[in-house]
Amino acid sequence: MNHHIVVLGAGYAGAYVAGNLVRRLSSEDTEITVVNAEPDFVERLRLHQIAAGQEIEALKLADVFAGTGVRLRLARVTGVDPERQVVAVADADGDAELGYDTLVYALGSHVAHHGVPGVAEHAFDVTGRPAALRLRERLDSLGEGGNVLVVGDGLTGIETATEFAESRPSLSVTLVARGELGDRLSPGARGHLRQACERLGITVLEHTSVAAVEATRVRCADGTFVASDATVWTGGFTVNPIAAASGLEVTENGQIVVDRTMRSVSHPNVYAAGDSAHAIGDNGRPLPMSCASAGYTGRQATDAIVARLTGRKVANIKLGYLGNHISLGRRDAILQMVDDEALAKPKYMGGRKAARIKSGILKMSLWGISHPTFGMPTRRRRLAAVPEAAAEQAVA
């Protein structure tokens, strides 16, 4: 019987893992199934552009995996039972279960409400394509002079506010920052960001916390109110609760605790990648939720699975975080590198050149996803006679 690998999620991490596993493992003794709720690959790093009104064609997962040998199952994951080694899914035909020998958990993350009243009922977000399209419809309905309030000055909040201000200059855009705007950037980059906001006409409210979101305004922690026709919540991300409910060992925020090879510390035939994994980087700090981390953790999980199933030694790849690439509309950006302590380095790059580099990174990421078997070797590795025994002998 073939070894069945099930990959949950086809985002940056899941699609990468599935494509690379099918490149490197022989189809004579392995089967790979990807489970994803939506038929399209979500280019999450560009969702704020979709919300702003730009037309970005969605990449069909059926086209991505066509002819590769990867089986695509369009269904929503409703549960994982690691003791029985099954995944519960639901689709238009009802509920079903998928058995697995190796599981890759890459269900990603979604917007975190942090218990703030009214966020779920009244706020918009850009963490999924349907959510981005819903926000675009709202912006279209505002006409001239509508007030848009972006809550959160992390990377998503900054990119969203600047994109809206550039693409829809008739709107009044306000960005709410809990501390100083861009406080995680170097002084020079902070100055560049502030100038960009001034150039685009963005109002910045610093040292401001939102205590509640209402239909036409938000209430701040100091009791004041800010009018808003569309409140966009970018106050962080949280993971799907399925892993915590499954009995896998997770952190307080629900991420799966993994070892250096992205293997679950509680269930050795389960791996996690992307935002779902609590992975410790080479600097001793947890990797942040990001596309870059998805690439690192996805590659490490892939290398570990292939090595253990084929009786080879598991190699450790570099797990680092080099910096942040922040779009400020289509013609401006900031590239801020960080040191081993995840602190901003003094030097940064800003302006059109930084914007072109950011655009190139996005194009390369999408190309890699859309060509999962590029460079597929003519001879792929067969499984070891006793994969479990080989797994015990493999030392990271």
Side-chain angles (χ1 to χ4, degrees):
M1 181 178 294
N2 285 356
H3 189 93
H4 193 194
I5 302 173
V6 174
V7 180
L8 304 184
Y12 289 102
Y16 176 93
V17 171
N20 280 270
L21 284 176
V22 80
R23 287 178 59 190
R24 299 169 61 183
L25 293 173
S26 172
S27 59
E28 294 185 36
D29 44 25
T30 56
E31 297 177 6
I32 300 172
T33 299
V34 175
V35 183
N36 200 66
E38 302 294 334
D40 303 328
F41 171 74
V42 178
E43 201 175 357
R44 192 166 181 176
L45 297 180
R46 302 184 70 187
L47 288 176
H48 60 288
Q49 294 178 242
I50 294 175
Q54 299 165 32
E55 294 300 329
I56 299 175
E57 185 177 357
L59 185 64
K60 300 295 182 184
L61 290 173
D63 295 335
V64 169
F65 294 119
T68 65
V70 173
R71 299 177 180 179
L72 176 62
R73 177 70 180 270
L74 294 179
R76 181 170 55 89
V77 178
T78 59
V80 174
D81 187 337
E83 307 305 328
R84 295 173 52 226
Q85 295 186 197
V86 296
V87 176
V89 299
D91 57 20
D93 296 326
D95 299 335
E97 288 187 340
L98 295 176
Y100 66 83
D101 298 298
T102 296
L103 180 70
V104 181
Y105 189 107
L107 289 179
S109 61
H110 56 272
V111 66
H113 296 165
H114 298 300
V116 176
V119 173
E121 296 81 5
H122 303 299
F124 297 84
D125 67 79
V126 289
T127 57
R129 188 176 179 88
L133 292 173
R134 175 173 165 262
L135 175 54
R136 183 166 73 181
E137 290 179 1
R138 177 58 177 167
L139 298 182
D140 288 342
S141 72
L142 295 182
E144 299 289 332
N147 294 316
V148 179
L149 188 68
V150 180
V151 181
D153 68 325
L155 306 188
T156 303
I158 291 171
E159 292 193 332
T160 300
T162 52
E163 197 75 50
F164 287 4
E166 181 180 88
S167 298
R168 296 174 179 260
S170 64
L171 296 177
S172 176
V173 179
T174 299
L175 177 61
V176 177
R178 289 180 62 91
E180 179 185 356
L181 178 65
D183 58 5
R184 292 176 293 278
L185 301 174
S186 64
R190 285 200 301 272
H192 187 97
L193 172 59
R194 194 173 295 277
Q195 290 176 0
C197 289
E198 292 174 355
R199 170 175 55 83
L200 294 168
I202 298 171
T203 300
V204 179
L205 301 179
E206 297 178 290
H207 307 288
T208 302
S209 297
V210 171
V213 177
E214 300 179 6
T216 59
R217 63 182 186 175
V218 301
R219 175 169 56 83
C220 300
D222 61 4
T224 60
F225 290 88
V226 181
S228 175
D229 298 309
T231 299
V232 186
W233 190 263
T234 66
F237 301 94
T238 188
V239 298
N240 196 299
I242 288 176
S246 72
L248 293 166
E249 184 172 338
V250 299
T251 60
E252 289 185 2
N253 69 353
Q255 289 180 300
I256 297 174
V257 180
V258 295
D259 63 16
R260 183 57 177 73
T261 68
M262 302 304 117
R263 194 185 206 182
S264 165
V265 298
S266 61
H267 294 79
N269 60 345
V270 176
Y271 293 77
D275 291 353
S276 301
H278 179 74
I280 305 301
D282 294 337
N283 62 358
R285 301 170 182 269
L287 292 177
M289 295 184 183
S290 68
C291 178
S293 297
Y296 287 126
T297 57
R299 180 183 170 190
Q300 180 65 84
T302 302
D303 287 358
I305 292 169
V306 171
R308 289 190 171 111
L309 293 183
T310 59
R312 291 168 169 82
K313 182 178 180 179
V314 180
N316 287 344
I317 71 159
K318 180 179 176 60
L319 293 179
Y321 192 77
L322 301 179
N324 297 314
H325 301 165
I326 311 168
S327 296
L328 305 174
R330 296 299 86 215
R331 296 180 294 276
D332 194 4
I334 292 172
L335 302 186
Q336 176 67 75
M337 310 308 287
V338 300
D339 59 22
D340 291 340
E341 299 300 317
L343 299 176
K345 293 182 177 180
K347 292 185 179 180
Y348 79 100
M349 179 186 294
R352 289 182 179 270
K353 183 177 181 180
R356 289 195 294 269
I357 293 175
K358 175 67 181 286
S359 177
I361 292 172
L362 295 179
K363 289 178 181 178
M364 287 189 295
S365 297
L366 185 62
W367 192 92
I369 294 296
S370 61
H371 297 80
T373 57
F374 177 76
M376 178 182 285
T378 55
R379 293 185 64 186
R380 285 175 282 177
R381 294 177 179 175
R382 298 293 303 273
L383 268 60
V386 186
E388 289 302 321
E392 293 302 323
Q393 295 172 0
V395 178

